[in-house]
Amino acid sequence: MNWNGIVAIWRFEMARFFRSIVQSIVSPVLSTSLYFVVFGAAIGSRIEEVEGVSYGAFIVPGLIMLTVLQQSIQNAGFGIYFPKFIGTIFEVLSAPLSAFEIVLGYVGAAATKSLMIGCIILGTSFFFVDITIQHPVWMIGFLVLTAVSFALLGFILGIWARSFEQLNLVPLLVVTPLVFLGGSFYSVTMLPPFWQTVSMFNPVLYLVSGFRWAFFGMADVPIAASLAAIVFFTGACLAVVWWMFRTGYRLKS
Amino acid sequence: MAAIVQVENLTKTYDGGFTALKDVSLDIQEGEILALLGPNGAGKTTLISTICGISNPTSGRVRVGGHDVIEDWRAARSLIGLVPQEIRLEPFEIVGNTVRFSRGLFGKSANPAFIDEVLHDLSLYDKRNARTAELSGGMRRRVLIAKALAHEPRVLFLDEPTAGVDVELRRDMWRLIERLRGEGVTIILTTHYIEEAEMIADRIGVIRSGELLLVEEKADLMRRLGRKELTVELHHPVETLPDRLAEYDLTLSGDGRRLVYGYKAGEERTGITRLLSALQAEGMALIDLQTRESSLEDIFVDLVQEGEGP
């Protein structure tokens, strides 16, 4: 294993994050605070409790998940797309690094950044609501798996994209709607039966549900199903990445 | 001397069907400087990219330091440093970090003293904390070279290293190349500046339309394909050449004062003595004699034009 190579990529990507540290931290803290104000205070005042949890606390796992998903995709996508765009990717491709090591560097850095932001949002939420995490180990496990799997998705998008527009297309048109319709701000039991069935086809529902279970011990779907969904998604992303490097898809001529 | 880079029957056809390399075979000896000359689109960059692992070969085999670039890619790549043709740098990163990043990518542990030495050698030390976007084109090219040298490669590919740089940097770079050669680094450079190849290369390779036309020692090439010209300045102008001189490859200047005689460089019998005797026999008095040897550029142009047809 080329550990020095992996660390070099990781540090290089983290340096990008720290170069824009204010934007990296202030932006998620601000938007989380706004979510709390709008959803927690304005709407939450009309919904007192969801399955025994105050509405303000109920949306915390969804809010964290929303940001972690978006940040993971964005960071990993940009991380690999930008060197492609400016042409510096040749350096990584000509280095003695395997596909696995390259992925570990880029995806590891993207996941680290989104985990840091996830923790900041969790910290911010303590200022607005009282939260007790019932299964902290599971909470960390879900958070890490989600960050890694969606960073893998972002990495795939970064290799696939030929323009910045394409890079933003999938997160904007597919991922964001799935997150909003995945029970981030509500329990699927609040939906009519038909929409409950439709929601079961939304993979994000399983992530949010599992993550919320780690917080409050309540879930829309069984915890095993959540775990299976995230493991399956991670496996699928790994398979696509493996294929991309094996064929040199949009990386090598 | 052992060949450190071995290219065997390498062919590269792109997805669109364009064949950039046609059955290229080439051995590059350890410690030598090989200059690859060729017009734009000849296949020089494709050849370098394929050796470095950036482009996949369609067929054929490449070994670096005895390691196959496909089967034993990690060992092969760790020996190579590459300076690309275009200046490609992360614009917001500082010089020191981007050079350290390159060393790390190649699996080498941090060595601040060595990185400082490389930066000093390339007159970049004072700019080590500057963002690459703030540097001039010439300085950014130096950064590219520093990045390629950061992991102490045994084989260095320089793809048009002096394109668009000022004379000072070009001379600095030649000095650096000479020093690297002294340290045993094998250098392969592509260039448009024939003068550059003539000055620093041990061997010359000429590539055209994906085919390697020749690879020869520079001196041998100049001797084999080079031409010389003897210019004879006459005391009295002549209108036509006497019949006796018809057997010689002579050109008379418009004013009738100069005769130009062409002959192959390096040949034992040049015919100069016989020509001078013939001139004397014809009673043609001489004022001056000058010789001129064709440059590598003349040879290169002849070679490249040969296959292009009318």
Coordinates of all heavy atoms in Angstrom, one line a residue, chain B residues 196-261:
Chain B
E196 N 18.1 23.2 -29.2 CA 18.2 22.6 -27.8 C 18.6 21.1 -27.9 O 19.5 20.7 -27.1 CB 16.7 22.7 -27.3 CG 16.6 22.3 -25.8 CD 15.3 22.7 -25.3 OE1 14.3 22.0 -25.5 OE2 15.2 23.8 -24.7
A197 N 18.0 20.4 -28.8 CA 18.4 19.0 -29.0 C 19.9 18.9 -29.4 O 20.6 18.1 -28.9 CB 17.5 18.4 -30.0
E198 N 20.3 19.8 -30.3 CA 21.6 19.7 -30.8 C 22.6 20.0 -29.7 O 23.7 19.4 -29.6 CB 21.8 20.8 -31.9 CG 23.0 20.6 -32.8 CD 22.9 21.5 -34.0 OE1 21.8 22.0 -34.3 OE2 23.9 21.6 -34.7
M199 N 22.2 20.9 -28.7 CA 23.1 21.3 -27.7 C 23.2 20.3 -26.5 O 24.3 20.0 -26.0 CB 22.6 22.6 -27.1 CG 23.6 23.2 -26.1 SD 23.3 24.9 -25.9 CE 23.8 25.7 -27.4
I200 N 22.1 19.6 -26.2 CA 22.2 18.8 -24.9 C 22.0 17.3 -25.1 O 22.3 16.5 -24.2 CB 21.2 19.3 -23.9 CG1 19.7 19.3 -24.4 CG2 21.5 20.7 -23.4 CD1 18.7 19.7 -23.3
A201 N 21.4 16.9 -26.3 CA 21.1 15.5 -26.4 C 22.3 14.6 -26.8 O 23.2 15.0 -27.5 CB 20.0 15.3 -27.4
D202 N 22.2 13.3 -26.3 CA 23.2 12.3 -26.7 C 22.7 11.7 -28.0 O 23.5 11.4 -28.9 CB 23.4 11.3 -25.7 CG 23.9 11.9 -24.4 OD1 24.9 12.6 -24.4 OD2 23.4 11.5 -23.3
R203 N 21.4 11.4 -28.0 CA 20.8 10.7 -29.1 C 19.6 11.5 -29.6 O 19.0 12.2 -28.8 CB 20.4 9.3 -28.8 CG 21.6 8.3 -28.7 CD 21.2 6.9 -28.9 NE 20.2 6.5 -27.9 CZ 19.4 5.4 -28.0 NH1 19.4 4.7 -29.2 NH2 18.5 5.1 -27.1
I204 N 19.3 11.3 -30.8 CA 18.1 12.0 -31.4 C 17.2 11.0 -32.0 O 17.6 10.0 -32.7 CB 18.6 12.9 -32.6 CG1 19.7 13.9 -32.2 CG2 17.4 13.7 -33.2 CD1 19.3 15.0 -31.3
G205 N 15.9 11.1 -31.6 CA 14.9 10.3 -32.3 C 14.0 11.2 -33.1 O 13.6 12.3 -32.6
V206 N 13.6 10.8 -34.3 CA 12.7 11.6 -35.1 C 11.4 10.8 -35.3 O 11.5 9.6 -35.7 CB 13.3 12.0 -36.4 CG1 12.3 12.8 -37.3 CG2 14.6 12.8 -36.2
I207 N 10.3 11.4 -34.9 CA 9.0 10.7 -35.0 C 8.1 11.5 -36.0 O 8.1 12.7 -35.9 CB 8.4 10.5 -33.6 CG1 7.2 9.6 -33.6 CG2 8.1 11.8 -32.9 CD1 6.8 9.1 -32.2
R208 N 7.4 10.8 -36.8 CA 6.5 11.5 -37.8 C 5.3 10.6 -38.0 O 5.5 9.4 -38.3 CB 7.2 11.7 -39.1 CG 6.4 12.6 -40.1 CD 7.0 12.5 -41.5 NE 6.9 11.1 -42.0 CZ 7.7 10.6 -42.9 NH1 8.7 11.3 -43.3 NH2 7.6 9.4 -43.3
S209 N 4.1 11.1 -37.9 CA 2.9 10.4 -38.1 C 2.8 9.1 -37.3 O 2.4 8.0 -37.9 CB 2.7 10.1 -39.6 OG 2.7 11.3 -40.3
G210 N 3.3 9.1 -36.1 CA 3.3 7.9 -35.2 C 4.3 6.9 -35.5 O 4.4 5.8 -34.9
E211 N 5.2 7.1 -36.4 CA 6.3 6.2 -36.7 C 7.6 6.8 -36.3 O 7.9 8.0 -36.6 CB 6.3 5.9 -38.2 CG 5.2 5.1 -38.7 CD 5.2 4.9 -40.2 OE1 4.6 5.7 -40.9 OE2 5.7 3.9 -40.6
L212 N 8.4 5.9 -35.7 CA 9.8 6.4 -35.3 C 10.7 6.2 -36.5 O 11.0 5.1 -36.9 CB 10.2 5.5 -34.1 CG 11.4 6.1 -33.3 CD1 11.2 7.4 -32.7 CD2 11.8 5.1 -32.3
L213 N 11.1 7.3 -37.1 CA 11.9 7.3 -38.4 C 13.3 6.8 -38.1 O 13.9 6.1 -38.8 CB 11.9 8.6 -39.1 CG 10.5 9.2 -39.5 CD1 10.7 10.5 -40.2 CD2 9.8 8.2 -40.4
L214 N 13.9 7.3 -37.0 CA 15.2 6.9 -36.7 C 15.6 7.3 -35.2 O 14.9 8.2 -34.7 CB 16.3 7.6 -37.6 CG 16.3 9.1 -37.7 CD1 17.2 9.6 -36.6 CD2 16.9 9.5 -39.0
V215 N 16.5 6.6 -34.7 CA 17.1 7.0 -33.4 C 18.6 6.8 -33.5 O 19.0 5.6 -33.8 CB 16.6 6.1 -32.2 CG1 17.1 6.6 -30.9 CG2 15.1 6.1 -32.1
E216 N 19.3 7.8 -33.4 CA 20.8 7.7 -33.6 C 21.5 8.6 -32.7 O 21.0 9.6 -32.2 CB 21.1 8.1 -35.1 CG 21.0 6.9 -36.1 CD 21.6 7.3 -37.4 OE1 22.7 7.8 -37.5 OE2 20.9 7.1 -38.4
E217 N 22.8 8.2 -32.5 CA 23.7 9.1 -31.8 C 23.7 10.5 -32.6 O 23.8 10.4 -33.8 CB 25.1 8.6 -31.8 CG 25.3 7.3 -30.9 CD 25.3 7.6 -29.5 OE1 25.6 8.7 -29.1 OE2 24.9 6.7 -28.7
K218 N 23.7 11.5 -31.8 CA 23.7 12.9 -32.5 C 24.8 13.0 -33.5 O 24.6 13.4 -34.6 CB 23.7 14.0 -31.4 CG 23.6 15.3 -32.0 CD 23.5 16.4 -30.9 CE 24.8 16.4 -30.1 NZ 24.8 17.3 -28.9
A219 N 26.0 12.7 -33.0 CA 27.2 12.8 -33.9 C 27.1 12.0 -35.1 O 27.4 12.5 -36.3 CB 28.5 12.5 -33.1
D220 N 26.6 10.7 -35.0 CA 26.5 9.8 -36.1 C 25.5 10.4 -37.1 O 25.7 10.3 -38.3 CB 26.1 8.4 -35.7 CG 27.1 7.7 -34.9 OD1 28.3 8.2 -35.0 OD2 26.8 6.7 -34.3
L221 N 24.4 10.9 -36.6 CA 23.3 11.4 -37.4 C 23.8 12.6 -38.2 O 23.6 12.7 -39.4 CB 22.2 11.9 -36.5 CG 20.9 12.4 -37.2 CD1 20.2 11.3 -38.0 CD2 19.9 13.0 -36.2
M222 N 24.6 13.5 -37.6 CA 25.1 14.7 -38.2 C 26.0 14.2 -39.4 O 26.1 14.8 -40.4 CB 25.8 15.6 -37.3 CG 25.0 16.1 -36.1 SD 23.8 17.3 -36.5 CE 24.8 18.8 -36.5
R223 N 26.8 13.2 -39.0 CA 27.8 12.8 -40.0 C 27.1 12.1 -41.2 O 27.5 12.3 -42.3 CB 28.8 11.8 -39.3 CG 30.1 11.7 -40.0 CD 31.2 11.0 -39.1 NE 30.7 10.1 -38.2 CZ 30.9 10.2 -36.9 NH1 31.5 11.3 -36.4 NH2 30.4 9.3 -36.0
R224 N 26.1 11.2 -40.9 CA 25.5 10.4 -41.9 C 24.6 11.3 -42.8 O 24.6 11.1 -44.0 CB 24.7 9.3 -41.2 CG 24.2 8.2 -42.2 CD 23.7 7.1 -41.5 NE 22.4 7.3 -40.8 CZ 21.2 7.3 -41.4 NH1 21.1 7.1 -42.6 NH2 20.1 7.6 -40.7
L225 N 23.8 12.1 -42.2 CA 22.8 12.8 -43.0 C 23.2 14.3 -43.2 O 22.5 15.0 -44.0 CB 21.4 12.8 -42.3 CG 20.8 11.3 -42.2 CD1 19.5 11.4 -41.5 CD2 20.6 10.7 -43.6
G226 N 24.2 14.8 -42.5 CA 24.6 16.2 -42.6 C 25.2 16.4 -44.0 O 25.9 15.6 -44.5
R227 N 25.1 17.6 -44.4 CA 25.7 18.1 -45.7 C 26.6 19.3 -45.4 O 26.4 20.0 -44.5 CB 24.7 18.4 -46.7 CG 24.1 17.2 -47.4 CD 23.1 17.6 -48.5 NE 23.8 18.3 -49.6 CZ 24.5 17.7 -50.6 NH1 24.7 16.4 -50.5 NH2 25.1 18.4 -51.5
K228 N 27.6 19.4 -46.2 CA 28.5 20.6 -46.1 C 28.5 21.3 -47.4 O 28.2 20.7 -48.5 CB 29.9 20.1 -45.7 CG 30.1 19.7 -44.3 CD 31.5 19.5 -43.9 CE 31.9 20.6 -42.9 NZ 33.3 20.4 -42.4
E229 N 28.8 22.6 -47.3 CA 28.8 23.4 -48.5 C 30.1 24.2 -48.5 O 30.5 24.7 -47.5 CB 27.7 24.4 -48.5 CG 26.4 23.8 -49.0 CD 25.2 24.8 -48.9 OE1 25.4 25.9 -48.4 OE2 24.1 24.4 -49.3
L230 N 30.8 24.2 -49.7 CA 32.0 24.9 -49.9 C 31.7 26.1 -50.8 O 31.2 25.9 -51.9 CB 33.1 24.1 -50.5 CG 34.4 24.8 -50.9 CD1 35.2 25.3 -49.7 CD2 35.3 24.0 -51.8
T231 N 31.9 27.3 -50.3 CA 31.6 28.5 -51.2 C 32.9 29.1 -51.6 O 33.8 29.4 -50.8 CB 30.8 29.5 -50.4 OG1 29.6 28.9 -49.9 CG2 30.5 30.7 -51.3
V232 N 33.1 29.1 -52.9 CA 34.3 29.6 -53.5 C 34.0 31.0 -54.1 O 33.1 31.2 -55.0 CB 34.8 28.7 -54.7 CG1 36.1 29.3 -55.3 CG2 35.0 27.3 -54.2
E233 N 34.8 32.0 -53.7 CA 34.6 33.4 -54.2 C 35.6 33.7 -55.3 O 36.8 33.5 -55.0 CB 34.7 34.4 -53.0 CG 34.0 35.7 -53.3 CD 33.9 36.6 -52.1 OE1 33.8 36.0 -50.9 OE2 33.9 37.8 -52.3
L234 N 35.1 34.0 -56.4 CA 36.0 34.2 -57.6 C 36.5 35.6 -57.7 O 35.8 36.6 -57.4 CB 35.2 33.8 -58.9 CG 34.7 32.4 -58.9 CD1 33.8 32.2 -60.1 CD2 35.8 31.4 -58.9
H235 N 37.7 35.8 -58.2 CA 38.3 37.1 -58.4 C 37.5 37.8 -59.6 O 37.2 39.0 -59.4 CB 39.8 37.0 -58.7 CG 40.5 38.3 -58.6 ND1 40.7 39.2 -59.6 CD2 41.1 38.9 -57.5 CE1 41.3 40.2 -59.2 NE2 41.6 40.1 -57.9
H236 N 37.3 37.1 -60.7 CA 36.6 37.7 -61.8 C 35.3 36.9 -62.0 O 35.2 35.7 -62.0 CB 37.4 37.5 -63.1 CG 38.7 38.2 -63.0 ND1 38.9 39.6 -62.9 CD2 40.0 37.7 -62.9 CE1 40.2 39.9 -62.7 NE2 40.9 38.8 -62.7
P237 N 34.2 37.7 -62.1 CA 32.9 37.0 -62.3 C 32.8 36.2 -63.6 O 33.5 36.6 -64.6 CB 31.9 38.1 -62.3 CG 32.6 39.4 -62.6 CD 34.0 39.1 -62.1
V238 N 32.1 35.1 -63.6 CA 31.9 34.3 -64.9 C 30.4 34.3 -65.2 O 29.5 34.4 -64.3 CB 32.4 32.9 -64.7 CG1 33.9 32.9 -64.6 CG2 31.8 32.2 -63.6
E239 N 30.1 34.2 -66.5 CA 28.7 34.1 -66.9 C 28.1 32.7 -66.8 O 27.0 32.4 -66.4 CB 28.5 34.7 -68.3 CG 28.6 36.2 -68.2 CD 28.3 36.8 -69.6 OE1 27.9 36.1 -70.5 OE2 28.5 38.1 -69.7
T240 N 29.0 31.8 -67.3 CA 28.6 30.3 -67.3 C 29.8 29.5 -66.8 O 30.9 30.0 -66.8 CB 28.2 29.8 -68.7 OG1 29.3 30.1 -69.6 CG2 26.9 30.5 -69.2
L241 N 29.5 28.3 -66.4 CA 30.5 27.4 -65.9 C 31.2 26.7 -67.1 O 30.5 26.3 -68.0 CB 30.0 26.4 -65.0 CG 29.5 26.9 -63.6 CD1 28.8 25.7 -62.8 CD2 30.8 27.3 -62.8
P242 N 32.5 26.6 -67.1 CA 33.2 25.8 -68.1 C 32.7 24.3 -68.1 O 32.3 23.8 -67.1 CB 34.7 25.9 -67.8 CG 34.8 27.0 -66.8 CD 33.4 27.1 -66.1
D243 N 32.7 23.7 -69.3 CA 32.3 22.3 -69.4 C 33.0 21.4 -68.5 O 32.5 20.4 -68.0 CB 32.5 21.8 -70.9 CG 31.5 22.5 -71.8 OD1 30.6 23.2 -71.3 OD2 31.8 22.5 -73.0
R244 N 34.3 21.7 -68.3 CA 35.1 20.8 -67.4 C 34.6 20.7 -66.0 O 34.8 19.7 -65.3 CB 36.5 21.5 -67.4 CG 37.5 20.6 -66.7 CD 38.8 21.3 -66.8 NE 39.9 20.5 -66.4 CZ 41.1 20.6 -66.7 NH1 41.5 21.6 -67.5 NH2 42.1 19.8 -66.3
L245 N 33.8 21.7 -65.6 CA 33.3 21.7 -64.2 C 31.9 21.1 -64.1 O 31.3 21.0 -63.0 CB 33.2 23.1 -63.6 CG 34.6 23.8 -63.5 CD1 34.4 25.3 -63.0 CD2 35.5 23.1 -62.6
A246 N 31.4 20.6 -65.2 CA 30.0 20.1 -65.3 C 29.8 18.9 -64.4 O 28.7 18.6 -63.8 CB 29.6 19.8 -66.7
E247 N 30.8 18.1 -64.2 CA 30.7 16.9 -63.4 C 30.6 17.2 -61.9 O 30.2 16.3 -61.1 CB 31.9 16.0 -63.6 CG 33.2 16.6 -63.1 CD 34.4 15.7 -63.2 OE1 34.5 14.7 -62.4 OE2 35.3 16.0 -64.1
Y248 N 30.8 18.4 -61.5 CA 30.7 18.8 -60.0 C 29.3 19.3 -59.7 O 28.7 20.0 -60.6 CB 31.8 19.8 -59.6 CG 33.2 19.3 -59.8 CD1 33.9 19.6 -61.0 CD2 33.8 18.5 -58.8 CE1 35.1 19.1 -61.2 CE2 35.0 18.0 -59.0 CZ 35.7 18.3 -60.2 OH 37.0 17.8 -60.4
D249 N 28.9 19.1 -58.5 CA 27.6 19.6 -58.0 C 27.7 21.1 -57.6 O 27.9 21.4 -56.5 CB 27.1 18.8 -56.8 CG 25.8 19.3 -56.2 OD1 25.1 20.0 -56.9 OD2 25.5 18.9 -55.1
L250 N 27.8 21.9 -58.7 CA 28.1 23.3 -58.4 C 26.9 24.2 -58.7 O 26.1 24.0 -59.6 CB 29.3 23.8 -59.3 CG 30.7 23.3 -59.0 CD1 31.7 23.7 -60.1 CD2 31.1 23.9 -57.6
T251 N 26.8 25.3 -58.0 CA 25.7 26.3 -58.2 C 26.4 27.6 -58.3 O 27.3 28.0 -57.5 CB 24.7 26.4 -57.0 OG1 24.3 25.0 -56.7 CG2 23.5 27.2 -57.4
L252 N 26.1 28.4 -59.4 CA 26.7 29.7 -59.6 C 25.8 30.8 -59.1 O 24.6 30.7 -59.4 CB 27.0 29.9 -61.1 CG 27.7 31.2 -61.6 CD1 29.1 31.3 -61.0 CD2 27.8 31.2 -63.1
S253 N 26.3 31.7 -58.4 CA 25.4 32.8 -57.9 C 25.0 33.7 -59.0 O 25.7 33.7 -60.1 CB 26.2 33.6 -56.8 OG 27.3 34.2 -57.3
G254 N 24.0 34.5 -58.8 CA 23.5 35.4 -59.8 C 24.5 36.4 -60.3 O 24.5 36.7 -61.5
D255 N 25.4 36.9 -59.4 CA 26.4 37.9 -59.9 C 27.6 37.2 -60.5 O 28.5 37.9 -60.9 CB 26.7 38.8 -58.7 CG 27.3 38.0 -57.6 OD1 27.5 36.8 -57.7 OD2 27.6 38.7 -56.5
G256 N 27.6 35.9 -60.5 CA 28.7 35.2 -61.1 C 30.0 35.2 -60.3 O 31.1 34.8 -60.8
R257 N 29.9 35.6 -59.1 CA 31.2 35.7 -58.3 C 31.4 34.6 -57.3 O 32.4 34.4 -56.7 CB 31.1 37.0 -57.5 CG 31.4 38.3 -58.3 CD 31.6 39.5 -57.4 NE 32.0 40.6 -58.2 CZ 33.3 40.9 -58.6 NH1 34.2 40.1 -58.3 NH2 33.6 41.9 -59.3
R258 N 30.3 33.8 -57.1 CA 30.4 32.7 -56.1 C 30.0 31.4 -56.7 O 29.0 31.3 -57.3 CB 29.6 33.0 -54.9 CG 30.4 33.9 -53.9 CD 29.5 34.1 -52.6 NE 28.3 34.8 -53.0 CZ 28.1 36.1 -53.2 NH1 29.1 36.9 -53.1 NH2 26.9 36.6 -53.5
L259 N 30.8 30.3 -56.3 CA 30.4 29.0 -56.7 C 30.1 28.2 -55.4 O 30.9 28.3 -54.4 CB 31.6 28.3 -57.4 CG 31.9 28.7 -58.8 CD1 33.2 28.0 -59.3 CD2 30.8 28.3 -59.8
V260 N 29.0 27.5 -55.4 CA 28.7 26.7 -54.1 C 28.8 25.2 -54.5 O 28.1 24.8 -55.4 CB 27.3 27.1 -53.6 CG1 27.0 26.3 -52.3 CG2 27.3 28.6 -53.2
Y261 N 29.6 24.5 -53.7 CA 29.8 23.1 -54.0 C 29.3 22.3 -52.8 O 29.7 22.5 -51.6 CB 31.3 22.8 -54.2 CG 31.7 21.4 -54.2 CD1 31.2 20.5 -55.2 CD2 32.6 20.8 -53.3 CE1 31.5 19.2 -55.3 CE2 32.9 19.5 -53.3 CZ 32.4 18.7 -54.3 OH 32.7 17.3 -54.4

